Amino acid sequence: MRSVEIFNLAKFYPNPYGEPFKAVVDFNLDIQQGEFVGLIGHSGCGKSTVLTMLAGLNEISDGGIVVNGREIDGAGPDRAVVFQSPCLMPWLTAFGNVMLGVKNVYPHASSNQRKQIVESALSAVGLADSMKKYPREMSGGMQQRVGIARAIALKPKLLLLDEPFGRLDSLTRMELQDVMLDILHREKITTVLVSHDVDEVVFLCDRVVMMTNGPAATLGEVLNIDFER
Ligand code: ADP
Ligand code: ADP
C-alpha cells in the first residue's frame, strides 16, 4: 500500500536580487507503507527542503504531497520530525518534553493514558530510568533519544529524520541507529531519513534515493537505487 506520493514537487526560494532560486524542481517519489527510505545527495541539493516540505514546515511552490490519501496542507499530527539537534525545552524534564507534543495530539486522552504514551516512548529509546532528568543533566546522545521519543510518541503516519545522528560521536551514533531500527521494525512507521552519509543510509534504509546535484534547473532529478533485503 502506498503511504506517500510526492508529485512534481518544486521549491522556489525568493531572491531579492532577481529570479527565485530553484532549490527543488519536479521531484517525484512514491513511498510504500512501512518503508524506510534514505534521501542522500551532496550538500545543497535540496534534501532538507524536501523534508521540511514533507513536514509541512516549508511552503510548497509547485506540485504536491499526498500522505495516506490526503494532500497535505501545512504541518499536521500525522507527521513527526527529528532534527539534528532536539532543541528540548530546558525547563522541562525528559518526560515533560515528550508530554508537550502528546498533549496537543491527544487532547481527549485521559492524563493517565497520556502518561502511559510518554512512558512507553521514553522506554523504547532506553530512557526508562531517566524520565525526570533535565536536558542539562543529559548527554547529547540522551537528549537526542528524548527527541526521538517525542516524535514516536505522536504515533505518526510518517516519520521524518533530518540528519538525526549527525552531531553524535561514532559510538553514540551506532547506539541510536540501533534504537531507531528496533523501533521501526516494531512499529513499522513509514520513514524518510535525510543524510549525507552513504554508509548510514545503506546500513539503515530499505531503499536509497539519491538527489542529483546538477545545475539549479535539474536539481529535482532523482536516481533510484533499490537494495534487495
Ligand atoms: P541540503 O539539505 O541537500 O543540503 P537544502 O535543502 O538545505 O539542501 O538547500 C537546497 C538549496 O536551497 C541550497 O542551495 C540552499 O542554499 C538553498 N536554500 C535553502 N534554504 C533557503 C532559504 N530559506 N532561502 C533561500 N535559499 C535557500
Ligand atoms: P542547525 O541544525 O541549523 O545547525 P540546531 O538545530 O543545532 O541548528 O540549533 C538550532 C538552535 O537551537 C540553536 O540556536 C541552538 O543553540 C538551539 N538549541 C540546540 N539544542 C538545544 C537544546 N537541547 N535546547 C535548547 N536549545 C537548543
Side-chain angles (χ1 to χ4, degrees), residues 83-91 97 135-136 143 162 167:
F83 291 106
Q84 197 171 62
S85 169
C87 295
L88 304 177
M89 303 296 149
W91 59 90
N97 269 285
R136 62 174 177 276
Q143 291 189 27
D162 194 350
R167 288 270 171 83

Side-chain angles (χ1 to χ4, degrees), residues 51-134:
L51 200 93
T52 49
M53 285 193 284
L54 279 163
L57 302 172
N58 196 349
E59 206 182 323
I60 293 170
S61 305
D62 204 358
I65 299 170
V66 177
V67 177
N68 277 39
R70 275 215 349 243
E71 189 162 350
I72 64 165
D73 180 18
D78 56 338
R79 285 153 285 144
V81 200
V82 180
F83 291 106
Q84 197 171 62
S85 169
C87 295
L88 304 177
M89 303 296 149
W91 59 90
L92 293 174
T93 61
F95 183 94
N97 269 285
V98 177
M99 180 58 90
L100 207 59
V102 169
K103 271 189 182 157
N104 286 325
V105 174
Y106 303 104
H108 304 301
S110 71
S111 60
N112 220 10
Q113 285 168 327
R114 279 189 225 148
K115 189 165 167 272
Q116 270 176 15
I117 292 168
V118 174
E119 285 177 355
S120 104
L122 282 164
S123 300
V125 297
L127 291 182
D129 297 327
S130 306
M131 298 195 198
K132 291 183 177 159
K133 287 207 166 106
Y134 286 89

Side-chain angles (χ1 to χ4, degrees), residues 27 31 73 75 98 102 106 147 165 192 206 212 218 225:
F27 182 84
I31 304 173
D73 180 18
V98 177
V102 169
Y106 303 104
F165 314 113
V192 178
D206 304 319
T212 54
T218 60
I225 309 167

Side-chain angles (χ1 to χ4, degrees), residues 161-193:
L161 309 175
D162 194 350
E163 303 265 6
F165 314 113
R167 288 270 171 83
L168 308 170
D169 64 80
S170 52
L171 201 62
T172 308
R173 179 180 310 148
M174 283 161 68
E175 282 170 13
L176 261 74
Q177 287 171 340
D178 281 345
V179 164
M180 185 59 82
L181 276 184
D182 271 359
I183 291 169
L184 295 183
H185 283 152
R186 207 170 41 239
E187 314 247 340
K188 309 213 184 319
I189 309 171
T190 309
T191 304
V192 178
L193 166 69

